[in-house]
Amino acid sequence: MSSPLPTVERNILVFATWAILGFLGVGLFLEGLTRDSVTLSSLGVTSIVLAFVAHIVINGVFETGFTPGEAALGIGAYGLLGFVFVIGAAIGETTKADFYSGLVFFGVLVVGFLAYLFTRHGLRGAFSRFHVKPASLGEGV
């Protein structure tokens, strides 16, 4: 029976990484939105990307992938933030700097997500993670 200690250590490292780099990034990003500074917002995005890269390194050290809960949280947060960004842009409450900051944020997250999938699973494997061929497809319907 394997020891739960590596799992606990991994979880603590992931939590500490996101608590430091992730919250710093969110703070810088929000401060950039408040001051209408794309540069400050971009520093926040950089910090969030560093947290994501550190999370991948931690997964590599412990020879694991993202847990289903981590994946659900990441995809859910991305969807909610994207929805809020689109609604804010549609209502017209965003400044030009806020709009560009949002585009940088979501663009970098999409590129990072795709880069992770392609490097982790390869092109064919990344496609196969989302496209599952039904068993009945081979039969005449």
Side-chain angles (χ1 to χ4, degrees), residues 11-126:
N11 291 343
I12 291 171
L13 280 171
V14 168
F15 181 80
T17 299
W18 281 104
I20 295 169
L21 292 174
F23 284 135
L24 175 67
V26 169
L28 286 171
F29 184 77
L30 292 175
E31 188 65 25
L33 293 180
T34 302
R35 296 179 188 238
D36 286 337
S37 171
V38 177
T39 305
L40 198 55
S41 294
S42 297
L43 286 173
V45 171
T46 302
S47 181
I48 292 170
V49 168
L50 287 174
F52 182 67
V53 169
H55 193 154
I56 292 171
V57 169
I58 292 168
N59 286 346
V61 168
F62 286 94
E63 298 176 352
T64 63
F66 289 101
T67 66
E70 291 168 349
L73 177 65
I75 292 170
Y78 182 81
L80 179 65
L81 289 172
F83 178 73
V84 168
F85 176 70
V86 168
I87 295 299
I91 292 173
E93 296 293 321
T94 58
T95 64
K96 195 172 187 178
D98 293 348
F99 183 72
Y100 289 137
S101 295
L103 289 180
V104 167
F105 180 69
F106 290 110
V108 167
L109 289 182
V110 166
V111 169
F113 175 70
L114 292 175
Y116 169 74
L117 281 179
F118 294 154
T119 57
R120 174 87 175 165
H121 303 289
L123 289 175
R124 184 174 181 173

